[in-house]
């Protein structure tokens, strides 16, 4: 029994890698080289939006460093690959040769059918969002923007052709607390999920029969990258001063706990930070 792990190379991805390696199973880790974590603002933005862009991504980097940088697996433990190599013939050859029990992905680009069909094991993906309500891109931003920060969470699901649409195996969501900022919610969602992941993998992989996930009863929504605009930062930082959780608490906006989907036996509670 073995795991092939394919992730990005940002601190959150390295944190998950460390936790997967703590499962005690043999792990072969491939880390895709992703884009720079603090991107430069587009040249066409005005001065106000440029400042908000820089502020947003600086805070994201600071939070990422605070929550994950010192605790993630070192990148020299991974096989580094480029985007063009991810679904290439050499990668397919390696996966075919390894024949893992599980191929687990997080933070990499979409895996091709050819890669997914070159071995006989299971393929699961970790999605940074609560499916089916928050599928697609930037799904730790939109819950706060939509004034439902309690929907900031993570999903482990079967890997399929549908975008974050495979049957769901396990989910966690943060409990908002006064003083939480947008990036605090996102990073805590990742950390709390990752901290339970070794136990989750142990339970699921120990079962004699292949695990079948839960089909979502709602179509939810796919959030595409094109939906997000720098102008959305005016709302988060201009109108709400990055205090959306406090606003919801003070305004009486209901924040009912997210309806988490988990297969039987995974009713564990996320640990407190």
């Amino acid at each position: 029994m073995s795991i092939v792990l394919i992730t990005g190379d940002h601190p959150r991805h390295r944190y998950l890698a460390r936790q997967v390696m703590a499962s005690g199973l043999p792990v072969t880790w491939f880390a895709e080289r992703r884009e720079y974590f603090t991107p430069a603002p587009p040249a066409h933005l005005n001065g106000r939006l440029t400042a908000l862009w820089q502020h947003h991504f600086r805070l994201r980097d600071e939070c990422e460093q605070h929550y994950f940088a010192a605790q993630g697996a070192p990148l020299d433990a991974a096989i580094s690959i480029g985007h063009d190599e991810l679904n290439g013939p050499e990668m397919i050859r390696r996966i075919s040769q390894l024949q893992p029990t599980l191929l687990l992905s997080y933070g990499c680009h979409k895996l091709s059918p050819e890669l997914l069909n070159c071995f006989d094991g299971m393929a699961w993906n970790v999605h940074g969002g609560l499916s089916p309500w928050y599928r697609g891109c930037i799904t730790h931003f939109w819950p706060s923007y939509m004034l439902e920060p309690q929907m900031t969470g993570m999903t482990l699901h079967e890997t399929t052709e549908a975008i974050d649409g495979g049957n769901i195996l396990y989910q966690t969501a943060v409990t908002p607390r006064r003083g939480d900022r947008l990036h605090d919610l996102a990073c805590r969602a990742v950390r709390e999920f990752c901290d339970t992941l070794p136990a989750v993998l142990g339970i699921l992989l120990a079962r004699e029969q292949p695990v079948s996930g839960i089909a979502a009863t709602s179509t939810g929504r796919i959030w595409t990258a094109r939906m997000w605009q720098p102008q959305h930062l005016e709302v988060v930082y201009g109108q709400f001063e990055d205090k959306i959780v406090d606003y919801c608490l003070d305004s009486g906006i209901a924040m009912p706990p997210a309806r988490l989907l988990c297969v039987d036996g995974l009713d564990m509670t996320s640990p407190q930070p």
Side-chain angles (χ1 to χ4, degrees):
M1 186 175 292
S2 63
I3 297 175
V4 162
L5 176 64
I6 306 177
T7 72
D9 62 353
H10 292 161
R12 72 184 69 173
H13 307 143
R14 291 160 51 197
Y15 187 82
L16 178 135
R18 187 190 77 163
Q19 299 302 78
V20 172
M21 292 175 182
S23 68
L25 295 174
V27 177
T28 302
W29 176 26
F30 297 89
E32 181 189 358
R33 297 185 292 275
R34 295 301 307 265
E35 69 282 352
Y36 188 54
F37 200 62
T38 52
H44 68 271
L45 295 185
N46 62 34
R48 166 70 175 170
L49 286 178
T50 294
L52 287 175
W53 175 288
Q54 293 170 334
H55 178 67
H56 172 73
F57 286 104
R58 182 176 66 251
L59 288 180
R60 185 178 74 158
D61 183 57
E62 289 174 358
C63 269
E64 193 96 351
Q65 296 296 326
H66 172 72
Y67 280 91
F68 306 121
Q71 304 174 63
L75 281 175
D76 59 11
I79 301 168
S80 180
I81 57 174
H83 182 195
D84 58 338
E85 300 173 275
L86 177 63
N87 293 301
E90 176 61 18
M91 188 68 170
I92 291 173
R93 185 193 68 78
R94 285 179 167 183
I95 302 300
S96 178
Q97 186 177 49
L98 288 166
Q99 284 296 314
T101 307
L102 171 65
L103 189 155
L104 182 66
S105 56
Y106 175 49
C108 61
H109 284 90
K110 189 175 181 180
L111 303 179
S112 69
E114 290 78 13
L115 187 145
L116 292 172
N117 291 330
C118 76
F119 70 104
D120 296 326
M122 298 173 289
W124 300 342
N125 181 61
V126 174
H127 167 54
L130 281 185
S131 298
W133 308 282
Y134 288 95
R135 296 163 55 196
C137 300
I138 320 176
T139 43
H140 282 162
F141 176 90
W142 292 116
S144 289
Y145 186 86
M146 301 300 292
L147 300 184
E148 48 181 18
Q150 79 281 5
M151 295 295 286
T152 308
M154 301 283 287
T155 300
L156 176 67
H157 65 87
E158 297 171 3
T159 305
T160 66
E161 282 293 291
I163 298 174
D164 304 323
N167 288 348
I168 293 167
L169 299 159
Y170 178 63
Q171 292 183 313
T172 61
V174 295
T175 300
R177 301 189 304 233
R178 184 172 294 278
D180 277 338
R181 301 170 299 169
L182 175 76
H183 297 302
D184 290 315
L185 290 168
C187 288
R188 215 164 70 239
V190 174
R191 191 174 70 181
E192 292 178 2
F193 174 89
C194 291
D195 286 349
T196 63
L197 192 56
V200 168
L201 293 176
I203 292 169
L204 293 179
L205 295 177
R207 297 186 177 181
E208 294 183 2
Q209 299 298 322
V211 180
S212 295
I214 301 168
T217 57
S218 168
T219 56
R221 183 173 186 178
I222 297 177
W223 301 80
T224 67
R226 298 177 69 177
M227 290 178 178
W228 189 87
Q229 299 295 329
Q231 287 79 1
H232 287 114
L233 300 176
E234 289 274 16
V235 176
V236 174
Y237 298 103
Q239 181 175 348
F240 291 107
E241 299 179 333
D242 203 9
K243 299 177 181 177
I244 290 174
V245 171
D246 289 5
Y247 175 81
C248 291
L249 291 171
D250 294 338
S251 301
I253 294 177
M255 291 190 289
R259 303 186 304 276
L260 302 178
L261 300 177
C262 301
V263 299
D264 290 343
L266 296 182
D267 55 353
M268 60 190 68
T269 302
S270 296
Q272 294 299 312

